[in-house]
Amino acid sequence: MTPFAKGSHLHLIDGSGFIFRAYHALPPLTRKSDGLPIGAVAGFCNMIWKMLQETKGDDAPTHMAVVFDKSEQTFRKDIYPAYKAQRPDPPDDLKPQFRLIRDATRAFNLPCIEKDGFEADDIIATYATAAAAAGGRVTIVSADKDLMQLVAPGIEMFDTLKNRAIGPDEVFEKFGVAPDRVIDVQALAGDSVDNVPGAPGIGIKTAAQLIGEYGDLETLLARAAEIKQPKRRATLIDNAEQIRVSRDLVTLRRDVELADGIETLEVREPEAEQLLEFLALMEFRTLATRVASKLKVEAPVIGDTAGFAPPASGTDVRVLGAGEPPPVVPIDRSVYTVLRDEAALDAWLARIPARGVVAVSVEGIGSDEVTGEIAGVALAIGPGAAAYLPLGHVTAGGDLFSAEGQIPLAAALARLKPVLQDASVLKIGHDVKRAVKLFARQGIALAPIDDTMLLSYALHAGLHGHGRDVLAEEFLGHQPLARRPLLGGGKSARGFREVPIEEAAPYAAEDAEIIWRLWNALKPKLPFARVTRVYETMERPLVPVLAEMERNGIRVDRARLSRLSGDFAQRMAALESEIHTLAGSPFNIGSPKQLGEVLFEQMSLQGGKRGKTGAYGTGADVLEELAAQGHDLPARVLDWRALSKLKSTYTDTLQDAINRETGRVHTSYQIAGAATGRLASTDPNLQNIPVRTDEGRQIREAFVPEAGNVLLSLDYSQIELRILAHMADIGALRQAFHDGLDIHAMTASEMFGVPIEGMPSHIRRQAKAINFGVIYGISAFGLANNLRIPRADAQRFIDTYFERFPGIREYMNRTVAFAKEHGHVETLFGRRIHTPEINAKGPHAGFASRAAINAPIQGSAADIIRRAMIRVPAAIAHLPAKMLLQVHDELLFEVAESAAEETAEVVRAVMSTAALPAVALDVPLVVDAGWGESWSAAH
DNA sequence: GTAATCACG
DNA sequence: GACGTACGTGATTACG
């Protein structure tokens, strides 16, 4: 080893700085065989190779190292906790590349230097200072202004992207002072990106002028009182301490204790085999060829499946036709691994980091995702490379015994946890919210994540479902093992824990492999469909938010529901006997068929209409009509039905939904359920809890907070009409919203020329029906039905409305035409809702065009509340508040009573600005808030 | 499994 | 001119 001395030349490459520059400078390249993002890796490798070639000869470096940031936690955070606090997470497609770039560095046979607690800049400063002191030369390969303070005799910088050296002159150009005073200028000017406070109101120009005048920072602060400009003087005096802290933050440490002395950084020639192996794995064909020719070895053959384990049997190859991707290795369930001991698990997990992406499929022991345990975890990193890790399987034989050949749960989870939480390993799932919840229960925060279900949803909402089986068929031409035979049905149904491991393993491992393949098939499509932003900002970030809400659950007062059930039962029994008396004979009131026969045959009432199945219609509208004619029986049936509905759907069923462990009800939200972007709530549905009748509201009174808390409800006022006013650009509507007018009264006034003051309620009601009708894609038939008026009258209303607001008709025509041309419509935020039926003939066409008119309006409203929900957790992090439920235009929170008002204001601010910055609405978004001792009282 | 009904926005 | 419709959901019940 040659000592570093006079004549030596050290190149220090700012690896972390370069990663971000390469990432943003290059298009999002992916590895061809599997879609792994590798743009930054490619940029890095090309840069290193170019540098190695160009620096040969007299000026060749004798020593070289690549330096990286290691952790977020540096000594600067101890000095100033807000330092770099608001820095966003790196993009998810960059995260897996961090590790690959370190691998690349080693493949080039270069030292890869990093140290906990320090930034790359501190390590560079330490080496550069030591090298200069030893009499050698230093070139810092970076354009980062934070490194410019190091420029000195013997130390210069080099910007590879601009291909120019940075010396004292260039530093002066940037900071207006010599390199040795750069720290002073940075301390004064601060840095908004890194959250270095500096002196408020002073930028680089002023700072340089002040330092130029007073010589250095301490002198300036000591003599601040002499400054003529009063504002500047006050700023410096008031913020002296903050400026000194800023100086400590920007000053690079030159005394980091480093394990490797400079002499160990001596340049070594790349080893051909090692380097080419890496380049082949990354599938960098051009660079591999170039490197091979330079190193005078044979270039590796890089096929499209390079990096994959060769298929066990490669005969059954699916041919996709000319111009299609290369032949695909078929799924082979016989090659999967079952991880039964810790050594096997460790070996498998060790393969994941280099990939940067792993498909994860987790099975709970049963259907409970909140308090249920894990039965097993399947992982996949490539075709045929999948494994199943059984954890909670049991053998049933009267009692349940833990099945043999399973690693103890705690030990396995301890090994999984670092990978599942590793920021540089992307975890992909299908409906990954399930996995997030199951792992959260085990203290594991699954992140970062991707979701093939949501990829499909962002790409193809309205075209087809997004279940795993549908997608496997559609995109892989593969039919997976069915879940049903494993779990049985009816009486013989069993939880996944009871499925024998040898049956569970191929099913689960195949699931993981399918997810991995689907991700590779779907993720690259996002930019082509222009839905990357939709997916990245409105689908994926919602997953952890919903997982937390679902885990929170809401407290429900069982005793109260039970009392209501009893009350309803009594009243139903009374009604039942009354109805039977009126009918003259007993029958099943709950049977529409029997009821129809009683009404229209036995009692011979008029107006009986048979539907397409031959049964009489007995819907509420029919019964109401009969009741209005003075018939008692249908009126009693309506009362009975209302109670029956409340009892069976709510007061009885909701009690069963209370979780034994938490005492709360945990709904599950379907993110990809509704084509428009709305959520759907299931098991139980908490988005249709009654509110419109007094009896219904009694059920809401059973939704209660914990002691000392209140339920806080915030809802958007008229959000869909506001969106319509914006999208269709209706000046009168927009103005009415700006002026805070009663929008339905205003509509009525415009249409019928009636003054808003003292407007008769039936006129307003008609206008309200029209406003809603417009959102739904109005038709005379629908409006007539709703208002119980003749169709001709309804048509006249609509004509008048369109005359008064011609922009609405234009919007409707424009939207339908767009759908016909493109096959989809879009929300304000770019969400696509496909309309495959839009060009159909016959009655389908009407449905499709109304749906197309409604979708951008309903969907934009859905987007807005999604955006709000994603921002809420950070906004309320400092408050004793939890977000519990979403009901399309309402968010419900549980909050300490003392913090209700503050929480309301914080959330109101988030909700009313949720469209920004993507869309600036021409109408205000008004949010109403209320809180109380129950969900009913919160309204 | 499907249709009818009705709860919500 | 007839068709036959308000938009988006989920749960329960009856019934074949």
Side-chain angles (χ1 to χ4, degrees), chain A residues 332-361:
Chain A
D332 177 1
R333 286 187 284 266
S334 69
V335 301
Y336 299 140
T337 312
V338 182
L339 302 171
R340 290 183 177 275
D341 59 67
E342 296 177 21
L345 175 58
D346 286 341
W348 222 90
L349 291 177
R351 299 166 66 189
I352 295 174
R355 295 285 180 166
V357 181
V358 60
V360 179
S361 169

PDB file of all heavy atoms in Angstrom, chain A residues 332-361:
ATOM      1  N   ASP A 332     -45.085 -22.167 -12.532  1.00  0.00           N
ATOM      2  CA  ASP A 332     -44.880 -23.566 -12.157  1.00  0.00           C
ATOM      3  C   ASP A 332     -44.940 -23.682 -10.631  1.00  0.00           C
ATOM      4  O   ASP A 332     -44.025 -23.272  -9.938  1.00  0.00           O
ATOM      5  CB  ASP A 332     -43.515 -24.034 -12.688  1.00  0.00           C
ATOM      6  CG  ASP A 332     -43.210 -25.468 -12.270  1.00  0.00           C
ATOM      7  OD1 ASP A 332     -44.061 -26.094 -11.584  1.00  0.00           O
ATOM      8  OD2 ASP A 332     -42.125 -25.948 -12.619  1.00  0.00           O
ATOM      9  N   ARG A 333     -46.038 -24.230 -10.153  1.00  0.00           N
ATOM     10  CA  ARG A 333     -46.250 -24.275  -8.701  1.00  0.00           C
ATOM     11  C   ARG A 333     -45.387 -25.321  -7.991  1.00  0.00           C
ATOM     12  O   ARG A 333     -45.379 -25.379  -6.774  1.00  0.00           O
ATOM     13  CB  ARG A 333     -47.730 -24.562  -8.402  1.00  0.00           C
ATOM     14  CG  ARG A 333     -48.636 -23.385  -8.661  1.00  0.00           C
ATOM     15  CD  ARG A 333     -50.033 -23.672  -8.182  1.00  0.00           C
ATOM     16  NE  ARG A 333     -50.760 -24.554  -9.079  1.00  0.00           N
ATOM     17  CZ  ARG A 333     -51.569 -24.145 -10.048  1.00  0.00           C
ATOM     18  NH1 ARG A 333     -51.771 -22.864 -10.245  1.00  0.00           N
ATOM     19  NH2 ARG A 333     -52.199 -25.012 -10.814  1.00  0.00           N
ATOM     20  N   SER A 334     -44.674 -26.128  -8.788  1.00  0.00           N
ATOM     21  CA  SER A 334     -43.926 -27.215  -8.140  1.00  0.00           C
ATOM     22  C   SER A 334     -42.556 -26.754  -7.632  1.00  0.00           C
ATOM     23  O   SER A 334     -41.854 -27.509  -6.980  1.00  0.00           O
ATOM     24  CB  SER A 334     -43.740 -28.368  -9.134  1.00  0.00           C
ATOM     25  OG  SER A 334     -42.850 -27.964 -10.161  1.00  0.00           O
ATOM     26  N   VAL A 335     -42.179 -25.505  -7.956  1.00  0.00           N
ATOM     27  CA  VAL A 335     -40.811 -25.094  -7.622  1.00  0.00           C
ATOM     28  C   VAL A 335     -40.746 -24.237  -6.355  1.00  0.00           C
ATOM     29  O   VAL A 335     -39.688 -23.756  -5.988  1.00  0.00           O
ATOM     30  CB  VAL A 335     -40.167 -24.297  -8.783  1.00  0.00           C
ATOM     31  CG1 VAL A 335     -40.145 -25.148 -10.036  1.00  0.00           C
ATOM     32  CG2 VAL A 335     -40.903 -22.989  -9.038  1.00  0.00           C
ATOM     33  N   TYR A 336     -41.873 -24.049  -5.697  1.00  0.00           N
ATOM     34  CA  TYR A 336     -41.871 -23.137  -4.554  1.00  0.00           C
ATOM     35  C   TYR A 336     -41.191 -23.757  -3.333  1.00  0.00           C
ATOM     36  O   TYR A 336     -41.182 -24.962  -3.131  1.00  0.00           O
ATOM     37  CB  TYR A 336     -43.298 -22.724  -4.187  1.00  0.00           C
ATOM     38  CG  TYR A 336     -44.003 -21.995  -5.293  1.00  0.00           C
ATOM     39  CD1 TYR A 336     -45.341 -22.236  -5.569  1.00  0.00           C
ATOM     40  CD2 TYR A 336     -43.329 -21.050  -6.079  1.00  0.00           C
ATOM     41  CE1 TYR A 336     -46.005 -21.562  -6.582  1.00  0.00           C
ATOM     42  CE2 TYR A 336     -43.979 -20.369  -7.100  1.00  0.00           C
ATOM     43  CZ  TYR A 336     -45.305 -20.626  -7.353  1.00  0.00           C
ATOM     44  OH  TYR A 336     -45.951 -19.969  -8.348  1.00  0.00           O
ATOM     45  N   THR A 337     -40.665 -22.858  -2.502  1.00  0.00           N
ATOM     46  CA  THR A 337     -39.988 -23.261  -1.283  1.00  0.00           C
ATOM     47  C   THR A 337     -40.934 -23.076  -0.096  1.00  0.00           C
ATOM     48  O   THR A 337     -41.696 -22.111  -0.059  1.00  0.00           O
ATOM     49  CB  THR A 337     -38.765 -22.338  -1.049  1.00  0.00           C
ATOM     50  OG1 THR A 337     -38.036 -22.244  -2.274  1.00  0.00           O
ATOM     51  CG2 THR A 337     -37.880 -22.860   0.056  1.00  0.00           C
ATOM     52  N   VAL A 338     -40.875 -24.005   0.854  1.00  0.00           N
ATOM     53  CA  VAL A 338     -41.568 -23.794   2.124  1.00  0.00           C
ATOM     54  C   VAL A 338     -40.502 -23.532   3.179  1.00  0.00           C
ATOM     55  O   VAL A 338     -39.570 -24.328   3.337  1.00  0.00           O
ATOM     56  CB  VAL A 338     -42.427 -25.012   2.512  1.00  0.00           C
ATOM     57  CG1 VAL A 338     -43.180 -24.734   3.811  1.00  0.00           C
ATOM     58  CG2 VAL A 338     -43.421 -25.334   1.394  1.00  0.00           C
ATOM     59  N   LEU A 339     -40.620 -22.409   3.855  1.00  0.00           N
ATOM     60  CA  LEU A 339     -39.588 -21.997   4.807  1.00  0.00           C
ATOM     61  C   LEU A 339     -39.958 -22.520   6.188  1.00  0.00           C
ATOM     62  O   LEU A 339     -40.826 -21.976   6.860  1.00  0.00           O
ATOM     63  CB  LEU A 339     -39.462 -20.467   4.804  1.00  0.00           C
ATOM     64  CG  LEU A 339     -39.134 -19.881   3.424  1.00  0.00           C
ATOM     65  CD1 LEU A 339     -39.241 -18.361   3.442  1.00  0.00           C
ATOM     66  CD2 LEU A 339     -37.741 -20.315   2.990  1.00  0.00           C
ATOM     67  N   ARG A 340     -39.257 -23.594   6.581  1.00  0.00           N
ATOM     68  CA  ARG A 340     -39.642 -24.272   7.817  1.00  0.00           C
ATOM     69  C   ARG A 340     -38.638 -24.097   8.951  1.00  0.00           C
ATOM     70  O   ARG A 340     -38.884 -24.497  10.078  1.00  0.00           O
ATOM     71  CB  ARG A 340     -39.855 -25.765   7.560  1.00  0.00           C
ATOM     72  CG  ARG A 340     -41.098 -26.040   6.714  1.00  0.00           C
ATOM     73  CD  ARG A 340     -41.297 -27.523   6.550  1.00  0.00           C
ATOM     74  NE  ARG A 340     -42.508 -27.860   5.819  1.00  0.00           N
ATOM     75  CZ  ARG A 340     -43.710 -27.976   6.370  1.00  0.00           C
ATOM     76  NH1 ARG A 340     -43.884 -27.758   7.649  1.00  0.00           N
ATOM     77  NH2 ARG A 340     -44.756 -28.296   5.629  1.00  0.00           N
ATOM     78  N   ASP A 341     -37.466 -23.557   8.639  1.00  0.00           N
ATOM     79  CA  ASP A 341     -36.534 -23.289   9.728  1.00  0.00           C
ATOM     80  C   ASP A 341     -35.848 -21.940   9.506  1.00  0.00           C
ATOM     81  O   ASP A 341     -35.904 -21.373   8.413  1.00  0.00           O
ATOM     82  CB  ASP A 341     -35.492 -24.407   9.864  1.00  0.00           C
ATOM     83  CG  ASP A 341     -34.701 -24.578   8.592  1.00  0.00           C
ATOM     84  OD1 ASP A 341     -33.939 -23.661   8.251  1.00  0.00           O
ATOM     85  OD2 ASP A 341     -34.881 -25.623   7.913  1.00  0.00           O
ATOM     86  N   GLU A 342     -35.211 -21.465  10.543  1.00  0.00           N
ATOM     87  CA  GLU A 342     -34.716 -20.095  10.518  1.00  0.00           C
ATOM     88  C   GLU A 342     -33.586 -19.921   9.506  1.00  0.00           C
ATOM     89  O   GLU A 342     -33.453 -18.857   8.897  1.00  0.00           O
ATOM     90  CB  GLU A 342     -34.299 -19.672  11.924  1.00  0.00           C
ATOM     91  CG  GLU A 342     -35.525 -19.667  12.839  1.00  0.00           C
ATOM     92  CD  GLU A 342     -35.213 -19.324  14.280  1.00  0.00           C
ATOM     93  OE1 GLU A 342     -34.152 -18.709  14.511  1.00  0.00           O
ATOM     94  OE2 GLU A 342     -36.027 -19.671  15.148  1.00  0.00           O
ATOM     95  N   ALA A 343     -32.798 -20.952   9.315  1.00  0.00           N
ATOM     96  CA  ALA A 343     -31.702 -20.844   8.352  1.00  0.00           C
ATOM     97  C   ALA A 343     -32.259 -20.655   6.939  1.00  0.00           C
ATOM     98  O   ALA A 343     -31.784 -19.809   6.171  1.00  0.00           O
ATOM     99  CB  ALA A 343     -30.823 -22.091   8.415  1.00  0.00           C
ATOM    100  N   ALA A 344     -33.293 -21.435   6.611  1.00  0.00           N
ATOM    101  CA  ALA A 344     -33.898 -21.314   5.288  1.00  0.00           C
ATOM    102  C   ALA A 344     -34.513 -19.925   5.114  1.00  0.00           C
ATOM    103  O   ALA A 344     -34.397 -19.298   4.048  1.00  0.00           O
ATOM    104  CB  ALA A 344     -34.962 -22.394   5.105  1.00  0.00           C
ATOM    105  N   LEU A 345     -35.164 -19.438   6.157  1.00  0.00           N
ATOM    106  CA  LEU A 345     -35.777 -18.108   6.098  1.00  0.00           C
ATOM    107  C   LEU A 345     -34.704 -17.037   5.876  1.00  0.00           C
ATOM    108  O   LEU A 345     -34.836 -16.166   5.012  1.00  0.00           O
ATOM    109  CB  LEU A 345     -36.558 -17.831   7.388  1.00  0.00           C
ATOM    110  CG  LEU A 345     -37.149 -16.425   7.528  1.00  0.00           C
ATOM    111  CD1 LEU A 345     -38.092 -16.099   6.380  1.00  0.00           C
ATOM    112  CD2 LEU A 345     -37.876 -16.281   8.867  1.00  0.00           C
ATOM    113  N   ASP A 346     -33.630 -17.125   6.648  1.00  0.00           N
ATOM    114  CA  ASP A 346     -32.555 -16.133   6.511  1.00  0.00           C
ATOM    115  C   ASP A 346     -31.981 -16.143   5.102  1.00  0.00           C
ATOM    116  O   ASP A 346     -31.745 -15.096   4.495  1.00  0.00           O
ATOM    117  CB  ASP A 346     -31.437 -16.413   7.518  1.00  0.00           C
ATOM    118  CG  ASP A 346     -31.861 -16.028   8.930  1.00  0.00           C
ATOM    119  OD1 ASP A 346     -32.829 -15.243   9.047  1.00  0.00           O
ATOM    120  OD2 ASP A 346     -31.247 -16.505   9.895  1.00  0.00           O
ATOM    121  N   ALA A 347     -31.763 -17.333   4.584  1.00  0.00           N
ATOM    122  CA  ALA A 347     -31.172 -17.436   3.251  1.00  0.00           C
ATOM    123  C   ALA A 347     -32.096 -16.796   2.218  1.00  0.00           C
ATOM    124  O   ALA A 347     -31.652 -16.099   1.307  1.00  0.00           O
ATOM    125  CB  ALA A 347     -30.912 -18.902   2.911  1.00  0.00           C
ATOM    126  N   TRP A 348     -33.382 -17.030   2.392  1.00  0.00           N
ATOM    127  CA  TRP A 348     -34.330 -16.468   1.433  1.00  0.00           C
ATOM    128  C   TRP A 348     -34.412 -14.950   1.549  1.00  0.00           C
ATOM    129  O   TRP A 348     -34.393 -14.225   0.552  1.00  0.00           O
ATOM    130  CB  TRP A 348     -35.718 -17.105   1.631  1.00  0.00           C
ATOM    131  CG  TRP A 348     -36.346 -17.419   0.319  1.00  0.00           C
ATOM    132  CD1 TRP A 348     -36.243 -18.583  -0.382  1.00  0.00           C
ATOM    133  CD2 TRP A 348     -37.142 -16.534  -0.471  1.00  0.00           C
ATOM    134  NE1 TRP A 348     -36.931 -18.480  -1.564  1.00  0.00           N
ATOM    135  CE2 TRP A 348     -37.495 -17.234  -1.645  1.00  0.00           C
ATOM    136  CE3 TRP A 348     -37.588 -15.225  -0.310  1.00  0.00           C
ATOM    137  CZ2 TRP A 348     -38.267 -16.681  -2.642  1.00  0.00           C
ATOM    138  CZ3 TRP A 348     -38.360 -14.662  -1.303  1.00  0.00           C
ATOM    139  CH2 TRP A 348     -38.698 -15.393  -2.460  1.00  0.00           C
ATOM    140  N   LEU A 349     -34.489 -14.487   2.771  1.00  0.00           N
ATOM    141  CA  LEU A 349     -34.608 -13.034   2.977  1.00  0.00           C
ATOM    142  C   LEU A 349     -33.375 -12.304   2.453  1.00  0.00           C
ATOM    143  O   LEU A 349     -33.461 -11.168   1.987  1.00  0.00           O
ATOM    144  CB  LEU A 349     -34.806 -12.722   4.463  1.00  0.00           C
ATOM    145  CG  LEU A 349     -36.146 -13.161   5.060  1.00  0.00           C
ATOM    146  CD1 LEU A 349     -36.187 -12.862   6.549  1.00  0.00           C
ATOM    147  CD2 LEU A 349     -37.304 -12.463   4.349  1.00  0.00           C
ATOM    148  N   ALA A 350     -32.228 -12.968   2.506  1.00  0.00           N
ATOM    149  CA  ALA A 350     -30.984 -12.324   2.075  1.00  0.00           C
ATOM    150  C   ALA A 350     -30.995 -12.014   0.587  1.00  0.00           C
ATOM    151  O   ALA A 350     -30.235 -11.169   0.117  1.00  0.00           O
ATOM    152  CB  ALA A 350     -29.794 -13.218   2.411  1.00  0.00           C
ATOM    153  N   ARG A 351     -31.857 -12.697  -0.165  1.00  0.00           N
ATOM    154  CA  ARG A 351     -31.901 -12.453  -1.611  1.00  0.00           C
ATOM    155  C   ARG A 351     -32.707 -11.199  -1.958  1.00  0.00           C
ATOM    156  O   ARG A 351     -32.652 -10.718  -3.089  1.00  0.00           O
ATOM    157  CB  ARG A 351     -32.547 -13.658  -2.313  1.00  0.00           C
ATOM    158  CG  ARG A 351     -31.771 -14.951  -2.116  1.00  0.00           C
ATOM    159  CD  ARG A 351     -32.596 -16.160  -2.519  1.00  0.00           C
ATOM    160  NE  ARG A 351     -32.873 -16.192  -3.948  1.00  0.00           N
ATOM    161  CZ  ARG A 351     -33.717 -17.057  -4.511  1.00  0.00           C
ATOM    162  NH1 ARG A 351     -34.346 -17.952  -3.768  1.00  0.00           N
ATOM    163  NH2 ARG A 351     -33.928 -17.031  -5.812  1.00  0.00           N
ATOM    164  N   ILE A 352     -33.474 -10.699  -1.007  1.00  0.00           N
ATOM    165  CA  ILE A 352     -34.420  -9.629  -1.334  1.00  0.00           C
ATOM    166  C   ILE A 352     -33.761  -8.263  -1.555  1.00  0.00           C
ATOM    167  O   ILE A 352     -34.066  -7.587  -2.544  1.00  0.00           O
ATOM    168  CB  ILE A 352     -35.523  -9.542  -0.247  1.00  0.00           C
ATOM    169  CG1 ILE A 352     -36.339 -10.833  -0.274  1.00  0.00           C
ATOM    170  CG2 ILE A 352     -36.412  -8.328  -0.481  1.00  0.00           C
ATOM    171  CD1 ILE A 352     -37.365 -10.928   0.835  1.00  0.00           C
ATOM    172  N   PRO A 353     -32.842  -7.815  -0.689  1.00  0.00           N
ATOM    173  CA  PRO A 353     -32.348  -6.443  -0.823  1.00  0.00           C
ATOM    174  C   PRO A 353     -31.781  -6.125  -2.201  1.00  0.00           C
ATOM    175  O   PRO A 353     -32.020  -5.041  -2.739  1.00  0.00           O
ATOM    176  CB  PRO A 353     -31.278  -6.353   0.264  1.00  0.00           C
ATOM    177  CG  PRO A 353     -31.734  -7.318   1.297  1.00  0.00           C
ATOM    178  CD  PRO A 353     -32.332  -8.463   0.527  1.00  0.00           C
ATOM    179  N   ALA A 354     -31.063  -7.048  -2.798  1.00  0.00           N
ATOM    180  CA  ALA A 354     -30.478  -6.759  -4.110  1.00  0.00           C
ATOM    181  C   ALA A 354     -31.562  -6.533  -5.158  1.00  0.00           C
ATOM    182  O   ALA A 354     -31.374  -5.803  -6.118  1.00  0.00           O
ATOM    183  CB  ALA A 354     -29.571  -7.906  -4.538  1.00  0.00           C
ATOM    184  N   ARG A 355     -32.714  -7.167  -4.966  1.00  0.00           N
ATOM    185  CA  ARG A 355     -33.820  -6.997  -5.896  1.00  0.00           C
ATOM    186  C   ARG A 355     -34.505  -5.649  -5.695  1.00  0.00           C
ATOM    187  O   ARG A 355     -34.946  -5.015  -6.637  1.00  0.00           O
ATOM    188  CB  ARG A 355     -34.862  -8.104  -5.686  1.00  0.00           C
ATOM    189  CG  ARG A 355     -34.342  -9.469  -6.016  1.00  0.00           C
ATOM    190  CD  ARG A 355     -34.288  -9.597  -7.510  1.00  0.00           C
ATOM    191  NE  ARG A 355     -33.799 -10.902  -7.903  1.00  0.00           N
ATOM    192  CZ  ARG A 355     -33.911 -11.363  -9.134  1.00  0.00           C
ATOM    193  NH1 ARG A 355     -34.482 -10.616 -10.057  1.00  0.00           N
ATOM    194  NH2 ARG A 355     -33.437 -12.535  -9.433  1.00  0.00           N
ATOM    195  N   GLY A 356     -34.649  -5.276  -4.426  1.00  0.00           N
ATOM    196  CA  GLY A 356     -35.280  -4.002  -4.130  1.00  0.00           C
ATOM    197  C   GLY A 356     -36.797  -4.045  -4.163  1.00  0.00           C
ATOM    198  O   GLY A 356     -37.459  -3.101  -3.796  1.00  0.00           O
ATOM    199  N   VAL A 357     -37.356  -5.171  -4.631  1.00  0.00           N
ATOM    200  CA  VAL A 357     -38.801  -5.290  -4.759  1.00  0.00           C
ATOM    201  C   VAL A 357     -39.192  -6.698  -4.339  1.00  0.00           C
ATOM    202  O   VAL A 357     -38.550  -7.658  -4.776  1.00  0.00           O
ATOM    203  CB  VAL A 357     -39.256  -5.081  -6.216  1.00  0.00           C
ATOM    204  CG1 VAL A 357     -40.756  -5.184  -6.322  1.00  0.00           C
ATOM    205  CG2 VAL A 357     -38.785  -3.747  -6.746  1.00  0.00           C
ATOM    206  N   VAL A 358     -40.218  -6.823  -3.528  1.00  0.00           N
ATOM    207  CA  VAL A 358     -40.683  -8.154  -3.164  1.00  0.00           C
ATOM    208  C   VAL A 358     -42.207  -8.154  -3.101  1.00  0.00           C
ATOM    209  O   VAL A 358     -42.819  -7.209  -2.596  1.00  0.00           O
ATOM    210  CB  VAL A 358     -40.066  -8.620  -1.817  1.00  0.00           C
ATOM    211  CG1 VAL A 358     -40.428  -7.683  -0.682  1.00  0.00           C
ATOM    212  CG2 VAL A 358     -40.506 -10.044  -1.491  1.00  0.00           C
ATOM    213  N   ALA A 359     -42.802  -9.179  -3.683  1.00  0.00           N
ATOM    214  CA  ALA A 359     -44.248  -9.329  -3.571  1.00  0.00           C
ATOM    215  C   ALA A 359     -44.555 -10.031  -2.260  1.00  0.00           C
ATOM    216  O   ALA A 359     -43.888 -10.996  -1.901  1.00  0.00           O
ATOM    217  CB  ALA A 359     -44.788 -10.135  -4.748  1.00  0.00           C
ATOM    218  N   VAL A 360     -45.550  -9.528  -1.557  1.00  0.00           N
ATOM    219  CA  VAL A 360     -45.900 -10.070  -0.251  1.00  0.00           C
ATOM    220  C   VAL A 360     -47.373 -10.431  -0.247  1.00  0.00           C
ATOM    221  O   VAL A 360     -48.218  -9.621  -0.630  1.00  0.00           O
ATOM    222  CB  VAL A 360     -45.633  -9.034   0.866  1.00  0.00           C
ATOM    223  CG1 VAL A 360     -46.030  -9.600   2.219  1.00  0.00           C
ATOM    224  CG2 VAL A 360     -44.176  -8.615   0.868  1.00  0.00           C
ATOM    225  N   SER A 361     -47.667 -11.642   0.162  1.00  0.00           N
ATOM    226  CA  SER A 361     -49.056 -12.057   0.310  1.00  0.00           C
ATOM    227  C   SER A 361     -49.193 -12.648   1.706  1.00  0.00           C
ATOM    228  O   SER A 361     -48.486 -13.584   2.041  1.00  0.00           O
ATOM    229  CB  SER A 361     -49.399 -13.095  -0.759  1.00  0.00           C
ATOM    230  OG  SER A 361     -50.653 -13.685  -0.460  1.00  0.00           O
TER     231      SER A 361
END
